[in-house]
Amino acid sequence: QPGHPLRLHDPPRAGRAAPGRARLERARAVLGACMANRMRASLRDSVEGAWLMLGGPACVEDETDLEDAGIYLDHLEAHETAGAVDAGFEAGLEKLYALPDLRADERLQVMTMHKAKGLEFDHVILPGLARMPRNDDKKLFLWIETAARGRAGLLVAPIQEAGADADPIYAWLQRLDAAKAGLEAARLVYVAATRARQRLHLLGDVGVRDGVVSTPPATSLLGKLWPVVAGVFQAAFQSYAPAHAQDRTPTLPDQSLVRLPSAWRAPDAPAPAVWPVPPDEARAHEDIEFSWAGETARHVGSVVHRWLQRIAEDQLHGWDQGRIESLAAHIEKELAARGVAPRELAAARDRVSAALAGALLDPRGRWLLGPRDGAASELRLRTFRDGRLRTLVIDRTFLEDGHRWVVDYKTSGHQGAGLEAFLESERERYAAQLARYAEALGGGSGDTRQGLYFPMLRGWKEWA
């Protein structure tokens, strides 16, 4: 009824059409949830969520419209303060522009006049011809080369100091530069106009005073064309003025609504993809290696592996005992960040430093970490084996004498006699694991070699 506005939570009124009630109920459910959760999420999340639930993406024509919506939401997020928009939000909207049509082909090209030189097009559109060129700041010096009686010269005028009378030579050189700029503008508009094969569109806006079209600025591109197009502008105004005088209603953009069907509902989310959960292969082999120790040993091994990777990537350049010692504080912080208890930090740091120093002093360690063909460190591979996805992490691999080497670092220790027996038992323990690595790299039994390296022990065990 007149004078009684419709509110969102008003009960249904008699005579309201069923489609309208359906749309209202859908909007009320979405907007009611937004109001109930106001200030519990960012304004951008609330607006974007309401837009999605109301079917905003179903109203767009192509993917470009979705990109434009994202630009608006990014702008909203940038200007949100405590759940409200700041003063710069509205002003910033005037500077937002829609993206170009992603489906447009190369027939439409936008370029500068300078870039168009030497090209031709069936239709050429030159917009904004009445714009004034940017005024150059006053230069510290103006000059011009002269030639008189066969001798070259240079006329120079400095900028006048504050409060001093204008320098006539400087002013003359300014006028000369302005005249040259005017000639260049005329040349430029000639170049742009002659790019058209069939039709040329010249766009510019000018004022009107006492029924007469005003002359555009002389320094504008339209000013260069004015002697030719002035009559066209005046005739266009005369044909427009009577209609404009009779109807002063401001022209509004088309705001007609494009509605979704009243029975529309958001599509159901697709069924989730089912992936077999792969075992963490890297963690699995660490569990084997450090089953005799606690978490500290695991963290020591992780840090040693990371620094051995760094040394190998540097191909030993710049690495020596002194550099290892200089990293002590950094290593200690890294161990602390991984969760090593303060009372164990010093011992853990010393173990890492000893392992790295041992690898640098050991000829076998330098052989492993030095420059090699086809080398990679901490190489992650994704394999499908026995119906399951697996992640493999190869500590070091490279090519030598036609063989692919696959090497695993082990930071475990050994005390007492029987070192060779210990290394052999470790080989038996990890043989299957390194065989999987070699298989993942595409190597058969005849062209791969595997090895275990123990930097804490300077120990090495290899097999084919």
Side-chain angles (χ1 to χ4, degrees), residues 75 96 139 225 328 342:
H75 178 72
L96 291 183
K139 298 178 181 178
L225 298 169

Side-chain angles (χ1 to χ4, degrees), residues 96-139:
L96 291 183
Y97 298 95
L99 291 175
D101 187 357
L102 300 180
R103 296 177 299 178
D105 56 28
E106 66 279 359
R107 290 180 298 175
L108 175 63
Q109 300 185 41
V110 180
M111 63 182 65
T112 64
M113 294 181 181
H114 292 90
K115 190 175 180 180
K117 184 178 180 181
L119 303 177
E120 286 188 336
F121 306 91
D122 290 338
H123 304 272
V124 172
I125 304 173
L126 304 179
L129 294 178
R131 292 179 181 176
M132 291 280 291
R134 185 177 66 87
N135 291 327
D136 293 331
D137 297 331
K138 296 190 70 173
K139 298 178 181 178

Side-chain angles (χ1 to χ4, degrees), residues 362 364-365 367-368 398 405-409 419-420 423-424 449-455 457-463:
D362 182 19
R364 177 66 65 178
W367 172 75
L368 288 172
F398 54 86
W405 278 93
V406 179
V407 180
D408 220 31
Y409 306 137
L419 176 60
E420 186 59 34
L423 296 178
E424 178 60 24
R449 295 182 181 274
Q450 292 114 55
L452 295 176
Y453 181 62
F454 299 78
L457 307 173
R458 301 188 191 181
W460 171 253
K461 194 68 175 179
E462 68 176 76
W463 64 96

